[in-house]
Amino acid sequence: MSFINATWSDLELYHHLNSRLDALASPAKLWKHQHPQLNASSMELLTYFRESAYISLVTFDADNSRMRDALITLALADDSAPARALFYALLAYSSFHRHRFNQQAMKLKISALHFLSAAAKEEPQTYTQAAQQVAGSMLLGAFDIMLPVASSGEWLWYVRGAMVMVEATRLNHKHELDSDIDSLFNWVYYHDALSRFPLHHWQHKSLAPATNEASIHPQSNRYSLLQTYRPTLPSPNPTYAILGLLSEACDTLLDPRDPNSSNLEYHQSLDVLERRIGNVHLGANSDPEDRLAVDVWQAATQIYLARASQKPSDAPKDLESLIDLAFDGPIRTCSCPHFFPLFILACEAGTDERRTAILELIARTEDIPGVRSKMWLRKMIQSIWVHQDLHADGELLVNYVGAMNSVISMNDAVPSFV
């Protein structure tokens, strides 16, 4: 008789994976039956990912457990290069989440990059392999987002690579795999949509005091290339409509100092977009949490479009009723793991009371186990408040777009606002 050293969580994970593998397009044995890579250490990281680490994967949906299950199932589906890339990316993310920056996490990330590179040199043979490549790329992007904001900003390239794969393989139009794969596509769509906001304001230049060409960010050409390729895909999830409108707003907005911003057609397009944003509503039978989330995103998108389209010399638009509604409701009661609406609403906190409410909201969100730190976001918000306060006693109105450009561009790499 032999004994197995396993915890209850290990057994639960084992049965969970076996029950889900039947849904794959090409059924395969669990990887641990074929490869020594699924040893005690990797099993421990898999268990930790399933129980804890997945919570910090930022999605638009409140519950990302379906995506967690799809990631684990895909990672153990077969022995292909895409599967191995996803497997090691998942372990790297789990290790980093558990121990922060460490040698094990970096070695696992390098292994994931090796297999992702190998997979990229070949056309995906199956729908499953295409999904594995997308998932592996997104997990590496999530790994980069967890790093300090002064990191390389590689998350942009991972998200873009995932989006290219989705388009090239028409992944979002196929249904041979478990329907949970929709959550994977929505994850990609969410990160791609939100990448357009910081890129719209990124100035490709460091704000450190310098007067020579060395102050130009060395990766500026990389980011400008990202801006020239912007695939737009309709989301299969109707609650993602507000994200599509935010993407459209970022693609439509011109710098208020641009002479073309005075064109009648431009203002008409903004009016149409404003009405479409205001008309986003969920059904009466939708989940209250979903309605609250859409309400917060809707208010933030409306405010951003109005502020970013006005000239510095124009009187501020009357948005008080919209702002009051946000601060009297969601700001005081909910937690908000999403950076974009929190940042936009924080820019409207002109009083000490409202600023305290924003800081309390950040604190409530950071108290949620597994949620990533908002330290850099807090610094950006405080920089905006300082900028506003310096204008309070002067005759000049706050240049909204200029302030956004300055604060976002003061980071060493493009920050993620997911």
Side-chain angles (χ1 to χ4, degrees):
M1 179 181 293
S2 60
F3 294 92
I4 299 176
N5 182 14
T7 66
W8 174 257
S9 296
D10 294 331
L11 293 174
E12 185 182 8
L13 177 62
Y14 172 80
H15 290 299
H16 173 79
L17 293 172
N18 270 315
S19 66
R20 299 193 64 81
L21 280 173
D22 292 337
L24 288 170
S26 302
K29 294 181 180 180
L30 275 174
W31 221 16
K32 68 178 180 179
H33 291 164
Q34 304 174 16
H35 299 277
Q37 283 89 343
L38 198 55
N39 51 29
S41 176
S42 58
M43 193 66 184
E44 183 180 358
L45 288 175
L46 274 173
T47 302
Y48 179 76
F49 179 85
R50 181 172 180 266
E51 294 180 349
S52 302
Y54 82 94
I55 297 174
S56 61
L57 292 175
V58 188
T59 64
F60 191 65
D61 301 313
D63 180 13
N64 56 10
S65 59
R66 287 178 59 198
M67 187 181 70
R68 170 203 64 189
D69 295 344
L71 290 173
I72 295 176
T73 302
L74 287 168
L76 300 176
D78 52 57
D79 187 27
S80 64
R84 289 196 176 204
L86 173 56
F87 175 75
Y88 285 115
L90 189 151
L91 295 187
Y93 185 87
S94 183
S95 177
F96 186 93
H97 187 276
R98 189 173 193 178
H99 305 295
R100 307 316 297 170
F101 194 83
N102 65 89
Q103 188 176 20
Q104 179 194 43
M106 293 309 300
K107 286 183 177 179
L108 290 167
K109 180 184 178 182
I110 291 171
S111 296
L113 285 169
H114 169 76
F115 285 108
L116 192 63
S117 176
K121 295 176 182 177
E122 302 177 0
E123 290 291 330
Q125 300 299 311
T126 65
Y127 170 68
T128 299
Q129 290 179 359
Q132 288 165 339
Q133 281 187 245
V134 170
S137 189
M138 288 299 298
L139 270 173
L140 288 173
F143 184 103
D144 192 68
I145 288 173
M146 284 200 300
L147 294 170
V149 76
S151 64
S152 65
E154 290 177 354
W155 66 270
L156 279 167
W157 292 96
Y158 293 125
V159 171
R160 194 65 60 206
M163 201 66 170
V164 168
M165 178 59 67
V166 168
E167 276 206 318
T169 60
R170 295 183 62 79
L171 195 61
N172 57 313
H173 297 290
K174 299 179 181 179
H175 302 283
E176 295 108 359
L177 201 60
D178 192 300
S179 61
D180 286 358
I181 204 64
D182 285 346
S183 60
L184 173 61
F185 171 69
N186 284 336
W187 186 30
V188 180
Y189 180 84
Y190 172 59
H191 281 254
D192 176 74
L194 264 292
S195 71
R196 305 188 185 198
F197 168 68
L199 281 173
H200 180 70
H201 293 282
W202 183 248
Q203 298 294 291
H204 315 292
K205 185 182 297 185
S206 170
L207 295 185
T211 57
N212 55 38
E213 292 186 358
S215 64
I216 303 297
H217 196 286
Q219 297 174 332
S220 61
N221 290 332
R222 295 172 59 192
Y223 295 132
S224 61
L225 286 173
L226 282 167
Q227 287 177 302
T228 62
Y229 179 68
R230 313 184 72 72
T232 302
L233 298 177
S235 170
N237 188 336
T239 62
Y240 277 56
I242 194 66
L243 292 182
L245 291 169
L246 172 60
S247 296
E248 193 172 336
C250 292
D251 291 341
T252 302
L253 282 167
L254 299 174
D255 190 309
R257 298 167 298 179
D258 188 328
N260 292 323
S261 66
S262 299
N263 292 347
L264 178 60
E265 291 184 2
Y266 172 67
H267 284 279
Q268 289 175 338
S269 66
L270 291 180
D271 290 340
V272 171
L273 189 54
E274 183 179 357
R275 288 194 296 271
R276 290 169 59 199
I277 295 171
N279 289 332
V280 174
H281 298 291
L282 293 181
N285 296 327
S286 58
D287 186 272
E289 288 190 7
D290 290 340
R291 287 201 300 271
L292 179 62
V294 170
D295 287 345
V296 171
W297 277 89
Q298 184 180 40
T301 305
Q302 286 175 304
I303 291 169
Y304 172 66
L305 180 64
R307 297 288 193 224
S309 60
Q310 68 184 38
K311 296 181 182 298
S313 58
D314 294 339
K317 295 183 180 180
D318 184 12
L319 300 172
E320 283 308 309
S321 59
L322 192 61
I323 296 169
D324 289 344
L325 193 62
F327 277 93
D328 291 341
I331 296 296
R332 297 188 181 280
T333 59
C334 74
S335 59
C336 183
H338 305 286
F339 283 18
F340 171 77
L342 185 53
F343 180 64
I344 295 301
L345 292 173
C347 292
E348 303 300 324
T351 65
D352 289 342
E353 181 183 6
R354 286 184 171 179
R355 291 178 179 182
T356 299
I358 289 290
L359 295 176
E360 289 176 348
L361 172 56
I362 293 175
R364 283 200 305 274
T365 304
E366 288 184 323
D367 285 341
I368 300 175
V371 174
R372 65 190 176 118
S373 171
K374 289 183 170 58
M375 180 69 70
W376 69 266
L377 180 66
R378 186 185 287 108
K379 291 180 179 178
M380 291 180 65
I381 289 172
Q382 290 172 339
S383 295
I384 286 285
W385 289 345
V386 169
H387 185 84
Q388 292 171 339
D389 291 343
L390 291 174
H391 281 72
D393 298 327
E395 296 180 357
L396 294 177
L397 296 173
V398 174
N399 182 344
Y400 187 87
V401 172
M404 285 279 184
N405 292 348
S406 297
V407 170
I408 290 176
S409 299
M410 73 181 181
N411 298 289
D412 291 336
V414 178
S416 170
F417 280 83
V418 296

